[in-house]
Amino acid sequence: SEQNGSKGLPYWFRLAAARGEFDKAIAFAQDMTTRLPQFSSSWLMLGKGYQLKGASLLDQHRDGEAKTAFEQSIQPLQMALEKQTTNEEAVKSLINSYYALNQKDDALRYIKLGQQRFPQDSFFDDRYMQHLQNFGNPEDALELRKVRVKNNPNDPMVAAQLAATYLQAAKYR
């Protein structure tokens, strides 16, 4: 860590975040983006810092401040993705931030990007199905859920998700 110029900042970031000292964690991450702006991980750390702060503020029912923190997470997360187009964690984090900001179309755009770039990761297919169920026509998710059950016949969670989708589709009509 000393050799790459980070001066132990990722450690200090994680420690501050674990202690709930999010402004301190963000300061360590900002230092990382100044020292090592060429690395995707520096920007990812900054975006995650803002997300952690936003989640904590939501827990405290400080919604306006939480919204600001999630808004602040977007640019560093996009920068992380720009620096490393295969940064799967940056895509997932952008999806989470956009949902926290109730920007469903932007979340869907990154879900689809994740499906294209990381087809082996079921996270993006799951989020796509959830998106269809929650914000579109749940019937559109039924076929995808049926395929998932066919491919995972012994997974009770997959069967439960199909059942929930049927229920939502019935309510949608």
Side-chain angles (χ1 to χ4, degrees), residues 146-159:
K146 287 177 188 176
V147 169
R148 182 66 61 84
V149 168
K150 184 179 177 187
N151 294 337
N152 303 284
N154 299 323
D155 187 338
M157 183 57 100
V158 172

Side-chain angles (χ1 to χ4, degrees), residues 90-107:
V91 178
K92 290 177 179 180
S93 295
L94 280 161
I95 293 166
N96 292 335
S97 284
Y98 280 123
Y99 275 133
L101 292 167
N102 203 27
Q103 294 176 9
K104 301 176 209 75
D105 291 341
D106 288 315

Side-chain angles (χ1 to χ4, degrees), residues 6 8 17 20 25 27 35 43 61 77 79 100 108 117 133 158 167:
S6 70
R35 289 174 191 266
W43 297 99
H61 306 289
L77 292 170
M79 184 65 78
L108 182 58
R117 288 195 186 161
Q133 284 176 241
V158 172
L167 187 61

